[in-house]
Short mmCIF file of all heavy atoms in Angstrom, two decimals:
data_model
loop_
_atom_site.label_atom_id
_atom_site.label_comp_id
_atom_site.label_asym_id
_atom_site.label_seq_id
_atom_site.Cartn_x
_atom_site.Cartn_y
_atom_site.Cartn_z
N MET W 1 137.11 -86.81 -125.94
CA MET W 1 135.87 -87.24 -126.74
C MET W 1 135.24 -85.91 -127.20
O MET W 1 134.98 -84.98 -126.57
CB MET W 1 134.92 -88.15 -126.03
CG MET W 1 133.75 -88.50 -126.76
SD MET W 1 132.69 -89.54 -125.90
CE MET W 1 131.22 -89.55 -126.83
N THR W 2 134.90 -86.03 -128.56
CA THR W 2 134.06 -85.05 -129.14
C THR W 2 132.66 -85.26 -129.18
O THR W 2 132.23 -86.41 -129.45
CB THR W 2 134.57 -84.59 -130.51
OG1 THR W 2 135.96 -84.53 -130.59
CG2 THR W 2 134.03 -83.26 -131.00
N ILE W 3 131.74 -84.41 -128.88
CA ILE W 3 130.26 -84.63 -129.01
C ILE W 3 129.96 -84.39 -130.43
O ILE W 3 130.25 -83.44 -131.09
CB ILE W 3 129.54 -83.58 -128.10
CG1 ILE W 3 129.94 -83.88 -126.73
CG2 ILE W 3 128.03 -83.79 -128.39
CD1 ILE W 3 129.31 -82.89 -125.65
N LYS W 4 129.27 -85.38 -130.86
CA LYS W 4 128.76 -85.36 -132.35
C LYS W 4 127.33 -85.03 -132.47
O LYS W 4 126.51 -85.46 -131.62
CB LYS W 4 128.94 -86.66 -133.07
CG LYS W 4 130.48 -87.07 -133.20
CD LYS W 4 130.53 -88.47 -133.85
CE LYS W 4 131.92 -89.04 -133.76
NZ LYS W 4 131.88 -90.46 -133.80
N ILE W 5 127.06 -84.29 -133.38
CA ILE W 5 125.57 -83.94 -133.70
C ILE W 5 125.05 -84.94 -134.67
O ILE W 5 125.64 -85.10 -135.83
CB ILE W 5 125.48 -82.55 -134.22
CG1 ILE W 5 126.01 -81.53 -133.20
CG2 ILE W 5 123.97 -82.28 -134.58
CD1 ILE W 5 126.12 -80.00 -133.83
N ILE W 6 124.21 -85.74 -134.21
CA ILE W 6 123.52 -86.83 -135.03
C ILE W 6 122.44 -86.10 -135.91
O ILE W 6 122.20 -86.51 -137.02
CB ILE W 6 123.09 -87.97 -134.12
CG1 ILE W 6 124.04 -88.53 -133.28
CG2 ILE W 6 122.45 -89.04 -135.05
CD1 ILE W 6 125.31 -89.04 -134.02
N LYS W 7 121.72 -85.37 -135.13
CA LYS W 7 120.51 -84.86 -135.86
C LYS W 7 120.25 -83.39 -135.21
O LYS W 7 120.30 -83.25 -133.93
CB LYS W 7 119.33 -85.74 -135.56
CG LYS W 7 118.04 -85.34 -136.20
CD LYS W 7 116.86 -86.30 -135.82
CE LYS W 7 116.44 -85.82 -134.46
NZ LYS W 7 114.99 -86.34 -134.20
N LYS W 8 119.98 -82.41 -136.04
CA LYS W 8 119.85 -81.08 -135.44
C LYS W 8 118.42 -80.60 -135.15
O LYS W 8 118.14 -79.78 -134.36
CB LYS W 8 120.54 -80.07 -136.38
CG LYS W 8 121.99 -79.71 -135.94
CD LYS W 8 122.34 -78.36 -136.70
CE LYS W 8 123.86 -78.08 -136.38
NZ LYS W 8 124.28 -76.94 -137.12
N ALA W 9 117.50 -81.33 -135.86
CA ALA W 9 116.12 -80.96 -135.60
C ALA W 9 115.73 -81.35 -134.22
O ALA W 9 116.15 -82.37 -133.74
CB ALA W 9 115.30 -81.72 -136.58
N PRO W 10 115.01 -80.53 -133.49
CA PRO W 10 114.68 -80.78 -132.05
C PRO W 10 113.92 -82.05 -131.95
O PRO W 10 112.94 -82.31 -132.72
CB PRO W 10 113.87 -79.58 -131.75
CG PRO W 10 113.95 -78.70 -132.75
CD PRO W 10 114.50 -79.24 -133.95
N ASP W 11 114.23 -82.97 -131.02
CA ASP W 11 113.68 -84.26 -130.76
C ASP W 11 112.29 -83.92 -130.06
O ASP W 11 112.21 -82.94 -129.32
CB ASP W 11 114.59 -85.11 -129.84
CG ASP W 11 113.99 -86.47 -129.92
OD1 ASP W 11 114.43 -87.29 -130.71
OD2 ASP W 11 113.28 -86.77 -128.90
N LYS W 12 111.33 -84.75 -130.36
CA LYS W 12 110.00 -84.65 -129.67
C LYS W 12 110.16 -84.48 -128.10
O LYS W 12 109.25 -83.98 -127.46
CB LYS W 12 109.07 -85.80 -130.02
CG LYS W 12 108.55 -85.47 -131.49
CD LYS W 12 107.42 -86.44 -131.73
CE LYS W 12 106.75 -86.21 -133.06
NZ LYS W 12 107.22 -87.30 -134.13
N LYS W 13 111.11 -85.24 -127.58
CA LYS W 13 111.32 -85.14 -126.03
C LYS W 13 111.39 -83.83 -125.41
O LYS W 13 111.10 -83.71 -124.31
CB LYS W 13 112.54 -86.06 -125.69
CG LYS W 13 112.31 -87.54 -125.90
CD LYS W 13 113.61 -88.23 -125.66
CE LYS W 13 113.52 -89.65 -126.26
NZ LYS W 13 114.90 -90.29 -126.53
N VAL W 14 112.04 -83.00 -126.20
CA VAL W 14 112.21 -81.53 -125.53
C VAL W 14 111.35 -80.56 -126.13
O VAL W 14 111.20 -79.46 -125.65
CB VAL W 14 113.64 -81.11 -125.80
CG1 VAL W 14 114.69 -82.02 -125.14
CG2 VAL W 14 114.05 -80.92 -127.20
N VAL W 15 110.70 -80.81 -127.32
CA VAL W 15 109.76 -79.87 -127.94
C VAL W 15 108.45 -79.90 -127.15
O VAL W 15 107.90 -80.90 -126.77
CB VAL W 15 109.47 -80.36 -129.44
CG1 VAL W 15 108.40 -79.41 -129.83
CG2 VAL W 15 110.73 -80.16 -130.25
N LYS W 16 108.09 -78.61 -126.69
CA LYS W 16 106.94 -78.45 -125.90
C LYS W 16 105.79 -77.74 -126.77
O LYS W 16 106.24 -76.95 -127.64
CB LYS W 16 107.10 -77.65 -124.69
CG LYS W 16 108.34 -78.00 -123.84
CD LYS W 16 107.96 -78.84 -122.72
CE LYS W 16 109.19 -79.11 -121.88
NZ LYS W 16 109.12 -80.28 -121.13
N ARG W 17 104.55 -78.17 -126.55
CA ARG W 17 103.53 -77.40 -127.14
C ARG W 17 102.56 -76.72 -126.24
O ARG W 17 102.37 -77.27 -125.17
CB ARG W 17 102.70 -78.50 -127.94
CG ARG W 17 103.29 -78.87 -129.30
CD ARG W 17 102.23 -79.60 -130.07
NE ARG W 17 102.90 -79.96 -131.34
CZ ARG W 17 102.25 -80.34 -132.41
NH1 ARG W 17 100.94 -80.45 -132.40
NH2 ARG W 17 102.91 -80.70 -133.55
N CYS W 18 102.19 -75.66 -126.65
CA CYS W 18 101.14 -74.95 -125.78
C CYS W 18 100.30 -74.11 -126.67
O CYS W 18 100.61 -73.83 -127.85
CB CYS W 18 101.90 -74.16 -124.73
SG CYS W 18 102.41 -72.51 -125.22
N VAL W 19 99.07 -73.79 -126.19
CA VAL W 19 98.20 -72.96 -126.82
C VAL W 19 98.23 -71.56 -126.26
O VAL W 19 98.10 -71.44 -125.08
CB VAL W 19 96.82 -73.51 -126.70
CG1 VAL W 19 95.78 -72.49 -127.47
CG2 VAL W 19 96.81 -74.85 -127.52
N CYS W 20 98.41 -70.56 -127.08
CA CYS W 20 98.36 -69.19 -126.53
C CYS W 20 97.03 -68.94 -126.04
O CYS W 20 96.05 -69.08 -126.64
CB CYS W 20 98.73 -68.18 -127.69
SG CYS W 20 98.77 -66.51 -127.29
N LYS W 21 96.99 -68.33 -124.80
CA LYS W 21 95.73 -68.02 -124.08
C LYS W 21 95.16 -66.77 -124.64
O LYS W 21 94.01 -66.39 -124.40
CB LYS W 21 95.97 -67.95 -122.60
CG LYS W 21 96.33 -69.33 -122.00
CD LYS W 21 96.44 -69.10 -120.45
CE LYS W 21 96.90 -70.35 -119.81
NZ LYS W 21 98.34 -70.51 -119.77
N HIS W 22 95.89 -66.01 -125.42
CA HIS W 22 95.41 -64.73 -125.99
C HIS W 22 94.77 -64.83 -127.27
O HIS W 22 93.68 -64.36 -127.59
CB HIS W 22 96.57 -63.68 -125.89
CG HIS W 22 97.22 -63.60 -124.62
ND1 HIS W 22 96.67 -62.93 -123.47
CD2 HIS W 22 98.34 -64.02 -124.13
CE1 HIS W 22 97.46 -62.97 -122.46
NE2 HIS W 22 98.51 -63.71 -122.84
N CYS W 23 95.56 -65.53 -128.25
CA CYS W 23 94.98 -65.54 -129.62
C CYS W 23 94.61 -67.08 -129.96
O CYS W 23 94.07 -67.20 -131.00
CB CYS W 23 96.10 -65.07 -130.52
SG CYS W 23 97.56 -66.00 -130.68
N GLY W 24 95.00 -67.95 -129.25
CA GLY W 24 94.60 -69.46 -129.45
C GLY W 24 95.51 -70.11 -130.47
O GLY W 24 95.14 -71.33 -130.77
N ALA W 25 96.64 -69.53 -130.91
CA ALA W 25 97.62 -70.24 -131.74
C ALA W 25 98.35 -71.35 -131.02
O ALA W 25 98.60 -71.28 -129.79
CB ALA W 25 98.60 -69.23 -132.26
N THR W 26 98.48 -72.47 -131.61
CA THR W 26 99.21 -73.60 -131.18
C THR W 26 100.68 -73.41 -131.45
O THR W 26 101.13 -73.24 -132.52
CB THR W 26 98.81 -74.93 -131.75
OG1 THR W 26 97.41 -74.84 -131.49
CG2 THR W 26 99.45 -76.09 -130.97
N LEU W 27 101.51 -73.38 -130.36
CA LEU W 27 102.93 -73.02 -130.52
C LEU W 27 103.79 -74.27 -130.03
O LEU W 27 103.41 -74.99 -129.21
CB LEU W 27 103.31 -71.83 -129.60
CG LEU W 27 102.37 -70.59 -129.82
CD1 LEU W 27 102.79 -69.67 -128.66
CD2 LEU W 27 102.61 -69.88 -131.08
N GLU W 28 104.86 -74.20 -130.69
CA GLU W 28 105.92 -75.35 -130.41
C GLU W 28 107.21 -74.68 -130.05
O GLU W 28 107.62 -73.77 -130.80
CB GLU W 28 106.16 -76.20 -131.66
CG GLU W 28 105.96 -77.68 -131.38
CD GLU W 28 106.13 -78.43 -132.58
OE1 GLU W 28 106.90 -78.13 -133.51
OE2 GLU W 28 105.40 -79.47 -132.82
N TYR W 29 107.79 -74.98 -128.93
CA TYR W 29 109.08 -74.51 -128.59
C TYR W 29 110.01 -75.45 -127.96
O TYR W 29 109.63 -76.58 -127.43
CB TYR W 29 108.86 -73.18 -127.67
CG TYR W 29 108.28 -73.57 -126.32
CD1 TYR W 29 109.04 -73.90 -125.29
CD2 TYR W 29 106.94 -73.57 -126.15
CE1 TYR W 29 108.49 -74.20 -123.98
CE2 TYR W 29 106.29 -73.96 -124.87
CZ TYR W 29 107.15 -74.21 -123.87
OH TYR W 29 106.52 -74.53 -122.57
N THR W 30 111.32 -75.07 -128.04
CA THR W 30 112.40 -75.91 -127.30
C THR W 30 112.89 -75.09 -126.09
O THR W 30 112.65 -73.91 -126.10
CB THR W 30 113.46 -76.35 -128.22
OG1 THR W 30 114.12 -75.03 -128.70
CG2 THR W 30 113.02 -77.10 -129.47
N PRO W 31 113.48 -75.70 -125.14
CA PRO W 31 113.91 -74.97 -123.98
C PRO W 31 114.86 -73.80 -124.33
O PRO W 31 114.94 -72.78 -123.59
CB PRO W 31 114.77 -76.01 -123.16
CG PRO W 31 114.08 -77.32 -123.48
CD PRO W 31 113.73 -77.14 -124.95
N ASN W 32 115.63 -73.77 -125.47
CA ASN W 32 116.39 -72.76 -125.88
C ASN W 32 115.66 -71.51 -126.33
O ASN W 32 116.23 -70.48 -126.37
CB ASN W 32 117.31 -73.15 -127.11
CG ASN W 32 118.67 -73.81 -126.59
OD1 ASN W 32 118.98 -73.79 -125.42
ND2 ASN W 32 119.42 -74.31 -127.46
N ASP W 33 114.38 -71.63 -126.66
CA ASP W 33 113.72 -70.54 -127.26
C ASP W 33 113.01 -69.66 -126.16
O ASP W 33 112.50 -68.69 -126.38
CB ASP W 33 112.39 -71.11 -127.94
CG ASP W 33 113.08 -71.92 -129.30
OD1 ASP W 33 113.99 -71.59 -129.78
OD2 ASP W 33 112.24 -72.82 -129.66
N VAL W 34 113.07 -70.24 -124.85
CA VAL W 34 112.21 -69.54 -123.81
C VAL W 34 113.01 -69.29 -122.61
O VAL W 34 114.15 -69.78 -122.53
CB VAL W 34 111.01 -70.45 -123.47
CG1 VAL W 34 110.11 -70.58 -124.65
CG2 VAL W 34 111.53 -71.79 -122.81
N THR W 35 112.55 -68.54 -121.69
CA THR W 35 113.16 -68.36 -120.50
C THR W 35 112.45 -69.08 -119.43
O THR W 35 111.24 -69.00 -119.29
CB THR W 35 113.26 -66.81 -120.06
OG1 THR W 35 113.80 -66.09 -121.20
CG2 THR W 35 114.09 -66.50 -118.75
N TYR W 36 113.11 -69.84 -118.53
CA TYR W 36 112.49 -70.54 -117.49
C TYR W 36 112.48 -69.82 -116.20
O TYR W 36 113.56 -69.24 -115.86
CB TYR W 36 113.05 -71.93 -117.23
CG TYR W 36 112.60 -72.95 -118.25
CD1 TYR W 36 113.40 -73.24 -119.42
CD2 TYR W 36 111.33 -73.42 -118.24
CE1 TYR W 36 113.06 -74.06 -120.45
CE2 TYR W 36 110.88 -74.31 -119.27
CZ TYR W 36 111.81 -74.66 -120.36
OH TYR W 36 111.39 -75.56 -121.23
N LYS W 37 111.43 -69.64 -115.55
CA LYS W 37 111.39 -68.90 -114.29
C LYS W 37 110.74 -69.82 -113.29
O LYS W 37 109.96 -70.67 -113.66
CB LYS W 37 110.44 -67.73 -114.47
CG LYS W 37 111.14 -66.71 -115.48
CD LYS W 37 110.70 -65.33 -115.36
CE LYS W 37 111.59 -64.37 -116.11
NZ LYS W 37 111.03 -63.00 -116.21
N ILE W 38 110.99 -69.59 -112.03
CA ILE W 38 110.42 -70.41 -110.89
C ILE W 38 109.49 -69.48 -110.06
O ILE W 38 109.76 -68.43 -109.75
CB ILE W 38 111.51 -70.86 -110.08
CG1 ILE W 38 112.45 -71.89 -110.83
CG2 ILE W 38 110.96 -71.53 -108.85
CD1 ILE W 38 113.69 -72.23 -110.14
N TYR W 39 108.30 -69.99 -110.03
CA TYR W 39 107.27 -69.30 -109.27
C TYR W 39 107.01 -70.11 -107.88
O TYR W 39 106.85 -71.28 -107.88
CB TYR W 39 105.99 -69.56 -109.95
CG TYR W 39 104.75 -69.03 -109.23
CD1 TYR W 39 104.47 -67.70 -109.12
CD2 TYR W 39 103.89 -70.05 -108.65
CE1 TYR W 39 103.30 -67.34 -108.32
CE2 TYR W 39 102.76 -69.68 -107.97
CZ TYR W 39 102.50 -68.36 -107.77
OH TYR W 39 101.39 -67.98 -107.07
N GLU W 40 107.16 -69.26 -106.86
CA GLU W 40 107.16 -69.84 -105.51
C GLU W 40 105.77 -69.23 -104.96
O GLU W 40 105.58 -68.07 -104.86
CB GLU W 40 108.26 -69.33 -104.68
CG GLU W 40 108.87 -70.60 -103.86
CD GLU W 40 110.18 -70.09 -103.18
OE1 GLU W 40 111.03 -69.58 -103.81
OE2 GLU W 40 110.23 -70.34 -102.00
N ASP W 41 104.90 -70.28 -104.61
CA ASP W 41 103.69 -69.80 -103.99
C ASP W 41 103.84 -69.68 -102.46
O ASP W 41 104.81 -70.08 -101.82
CB ASP W 41 102.47 -70.68 -104.33
CG ASP W 41 102.55 -72.11 -103.87
OD1 ASP W 41 103.21 -72.31 -102.80
OD2 ASP W 41 102.17 -73.00 -104.66
N TYR W 42 102.74 -69.19 -101.84
CA TYR W 42 102.91 -68.93 -100.34
C TYR W 42 103.01 -70.20 -99.55
O TYR W 42 103.44 -70.13 -98.43
CB TYR W 42 101.68 -67.99 -99.93
CG TYR W 42 101.65 -66.71 -100.53
CD1 TYR W 42 100.77 -66.28 -101.53
CD2 TYR W 42 102.64 -65.75 -100.06
CE1 TYR W 42 100.80 -65.00 -102.03
CE2 TYR W 42 102.63 -64.50 -100.68
CZ TYR W 42 101.69 -64.17 -101.67
OH TYR W 42 101.76 -62.88 -102.29
N GLY W 43 102.52 -71.28 -100.11
CA GLY W 43 102.58 -72.52 -99.36
C GLY W 43 103.95 -73.12 -99.46
O GLY W 43 104.27 -74.25 -98.92
N GLY W 44 104.93 -72.61 -100.10
CA GLY W 44 106.27 -73.11 -100.27
C GLY W 44 106.45 -73.93 -101.54
O GLY W 44 107.44 -74.52 -101.75
N GLY W 45 105.34 -74.17 -102.38
CA GLY W 45 105.41 -74.98 -103.54
C GLY W 45 106.13 -74.21 -104.58
O GLY W 45 106.12 -72.95 -104.63
N LYS W 46 106.73 -74.90 -105.43
CA LYS W 46 107.47 -74.30 -106.56
C LYS W 46 107.00 -74.81 -107.86
O LYS W 46 106.80 -76.00 -108.06
CB LYS W 46 109.03 -74.55 -106.41
CG LYS W 46 109.72 -73.61 -105.46
CD LYS W 46 111.24 -73.87 -105.53
CE LYS W 46 111.81 -73.14 -104.27
NZ LYS W 46 113.26 -73.44 -104.09
N ASP W 47 106.78 -73.92 -108.79
CA ASP W 47 106.54 -74.25 -110.22
C ASP W 47 107.41 -73.58 -111.13
O ASP W 47 107.85 -72.54 -110.89
CB ASP W 47 105.03 -73.72 -110.52
CG ASP W 47 103.92 -74.75 -110.24
OD1 ASP W 47 104.32 -75.95 -110.36
OD2 ASP W 47 102.86 -74.35 -109.91
N THR W 48 107.83 -74.48 -112.12
CA THR W 48 108.73 -73.87 -113.15
C THR W 48 107.84 -73.55 -114.37
O THR W 48 106.89 -74.28 -114.64
CB THR W 48 109.67 -74.92 -113.66
OG1 THR W 48 110.43 -75.26 -112.44
CG2 THR W 48 110.74 -74.22 -114.55
N TYR W 49 108.04 -72.42 -114.93
CA TYR W 49 107.18 -72.02 -116.04
C TYR W 49 108.07 -71.39 -117.09
O TYR W 49 109.08 -70.85 -116.77
CB TYR W 49 105.98 -71.08 -115.70
CG TYR W 49 106.37 -69.74 -115.13
CD1 TYR W 49 106.62 -68.60 -115.96
CD2 TYR W 49 106.46 -69.61 -113.78
CE1 TYR W 49 106.87 -67.52 -115.54
CE2 TYR W 49 106.79 -68.35 -113.27
CZ TYR W 49 106.91 -67.27 -114.16
OH TYR W 49 107.34 -65.98 -113.62
N ALA W 50 107.65 -71.55 -118.30
CA ALA W 50 108.38 -71.06 -119.50
C ALA W 50 107.78 -69.59 -119.83
O ALA W 50 106.50 -69.58 -119.85
CB ALA W 50 108.28 -71.89 -120.59
N GLU W 51 108.58 -68.68 -119.93
CA GLU W 51 108.04 -67.31 -120.35
C GLU W 51 108.58 -66.87 -121.71
O GLU W 51 109.83 -66.85 -121.98
CB GLU W 51 108.51 -66.31 -119.18
CG GLU W 51 107.64 -65.01 -119.33
CD GLU W 51 107.96 -64.11 -118.20
OE1 GLU W 51 108.98 -63.46 -118.22
OE2 GLU W 51 107.15 -64.11 -117.14
N PHE W 52 107.75 -66.50 -122.53
CA PHE W 52 108.08 -66.06 -123.89
C PHE W 52 106.94 -65.30 -124.48
O PHE W 52 105.79 -65.36 -124.09
CB PHE W 52 108.41 -67.23 -124.80
CG PHE W 52 107.45 -68.41 -124.86
CD1 PHE W 52 106.52 -68.31 -125.95
CD2 PHE W 52 107.22 -69.26 -123.85
CE1 PHE W 52 105.43 -69.40 -126.05
CE2 PHE W 52 106.25 -70.16 -123.96
CZ PHE W 52 105.48 -70.34 -125.02
N GLY W 53 107.26 -64.53 -125.58
CA GLY W 53 106.33 -63.89 -126.29
C GLY W 53 105.69 -64.51 -127.38
O GLY W 53 106.40 -65.35 -128.20
N CYS W 54 104.38 -64.58 -127.52
CA CYS W 54 103.75 -65.23 -128.60
C CYS W 54 104.12 -64.65 -129.94
O CYS W 54 103.97 -63.49 -130.18
CB CYS W 54 102.20 -65.19 -128.47
SG CYS W 54 101.26 -65.93 -129.77
N PRO W 55 104.58 -65.47 -130.84
CA PRO W 55 105.12 -65.00 -132.18
C PRO W 55 103.82 -64.55 -133.05
O PRO W 55 104.04 -63.88 -134.07
CB PRO W 55 105.79 -66.10 -132.77
CG PRO W 55 105.47 -67.35 -132.12
CD PRO W 55 104.94 -67.00 -130.82
N ASN W 56 102.63 -64.89 -132.61
CA ASN W 56 101.55 -64.57 -133.39
C ASN W 56 100.89 -63.27 -133.01
O ASN W 56 100.64 -62.30 -133.65
CB ASN W 56 100.53 -65.67 -133.38
CG ASN W 56 99.31 -65.49 -134.27
OD1 ASN W 56 99.50 -65.18 -135.38
ND2 ASN W 56 98.14 -65.72 -133.92
N CYS W 57 100.70 -63.01 -131.66
CA CYS W 57 100.00 -61.86 -131.15
C CYS W 57 100.93 -60.96 -130.30
O CYS W 57 100.64 -59.83 -130.02
CB CYS W 57 98.74 -62.25 -130.37
SG CYS W 57 99.15 -62.97 -128.83
N GLY W 58 102.22 -61.55 -130.00
CA GLY W 58 103.15 -60.70 -129.20
C GLY W 58 102.95 -60.59 -127.71
O GLY W 58 103.70 -59.97 -127.11
N LYS W 59 102.02 -61.23 -127.27
CA LYS W 59 101.60 -61.07 -125.87
C LYS W 59 102.47 -62.16 -125.03
O LYS W 59 102.83 -63.13 -125.47
CB LYS W 59 100.14 -61.31 -125.53
CG LYS W 59 99.35 -60.09 -126.09
CD LYS W 59 98.00 -60.23 -125.52
CE LYS W 59 97.22 -58.87 -125.87
NZ LYS W 59 95.78 -59.11 -126.09
N LEU W 60 102.70 -61.85 -123.75
CA LEU W 60 103.53 -62.71 -123.03
C LEU W 60 102.77 -63.92 -122.49
O LEU W 60 101.63 -63.89 -122.13
CB LEU W 60 103.92 -61.83 -121.66
CG LEU W 60 105.13 -62.52 -120.94
CD1 LEU W 60 106.30 -62.35 -121.74
CD2 LEU W 60 105.26 -61.84 -119.58
N ILE W 61 103.43 -65.13 -122.73
CA ILE W 61 102.74 -66.30 -122.35
C ILE W 61 103.60 -67.00 -121.23
O ILE W 61 104.91 -66.94 -121.26
CB ILE W 61 102.87 -67.39 -123.58
CG1 ILE W 61 102.03 -66.85 -124.66
CG2 ILE W 61 102.45 -68.82 -123.18
CD1 ILE W 61 102.12 -67.69 -125.94
N ARG W 62 102.85 -67.62 -120.26
CA ARG W 62 103.59 -68.27 -119.19
C ARG W 62 103.09 -69.61 -119.26
O ARG W 62 101.86 -69.86 -118.88
CB ARG W 62 103.20 -67.64 -117.82
CG ARG W 62 104.12 -66.26 -117.66
CD ARG W 62 103.72 -65.73 -116.46
NE ARG W 62 104.58 -64.55 -116.15
CZ ARG W 62 104.49 -63.60 -115.35
NH1 ARG W 62 103.54 -63.74 -114.46
NH2 ARG W 62 105.37 -62.66 -115.22
N ASP W 63 103.93 -70.59 -119.66
CA ASP W 63 103.52 -71.93 -119.79
C ASP W 63 104.07 -72.75 -118.63
O ASP W 63 105.23 -72.92 -118.59
CB ASP W 63 103.92 -72.51 -121.09
CG ASP W 63 103.46 -73.83 -121.42
OD1 ASP W 63 102.26 -74.09 -121.10
OD2 ASP W 63 104.13 -74.65 -122.07
N VAL W 64 103.10 -73.21 -117.81
CA VAL W 64 103.65 -73.98 -116.57
C VAL W 64 103.94 -75.39 -117.06
O VAL W 64 103.13 -75.98 -117.81
CB VAL W 64 102.62 -74.02 -115.45
CG1 VAL W 64 102.95 -74.82 -114.35
CG2 VAL W 64 102.22 -72.64 -115.01
N GLN W 65 105.10 -75.87 -116.74
CA GLN W 65 105.45 -77.17 -117.12
C GLN W 65 104.84 -78.37 -116.34
O GLN W 65 104.61 -78.34 -115.15
CB GLN W 65 107.07 -77.40 -116.93
CG GLN W 65 107.78 -76.36 -117.66
CD GLN W 65 107.59 -76.46 -119.16
OE1 GLN W 65 107.92 -77.39 -119.93
NE2 GLN W 65 106.95 -75.36 -119.67
ZN1 ZN U 1 99.10 -65.34 -129.13
#
């Protein structure tokens, strides 16, 4: 079976929005645009966050999911 592409535009289910904490721009991204990293705190809890450069101001953004 071949996988068919029905629609190439990213679906809202995977598109994330965040506001840059540095310049205030509202950004939209898909998982392919960013690197996911796991942050482990001292209590053993784990958080996944997306890391990417803001296209507006160029500073590093960490968006916790
Ligand atoms: Zn920014």
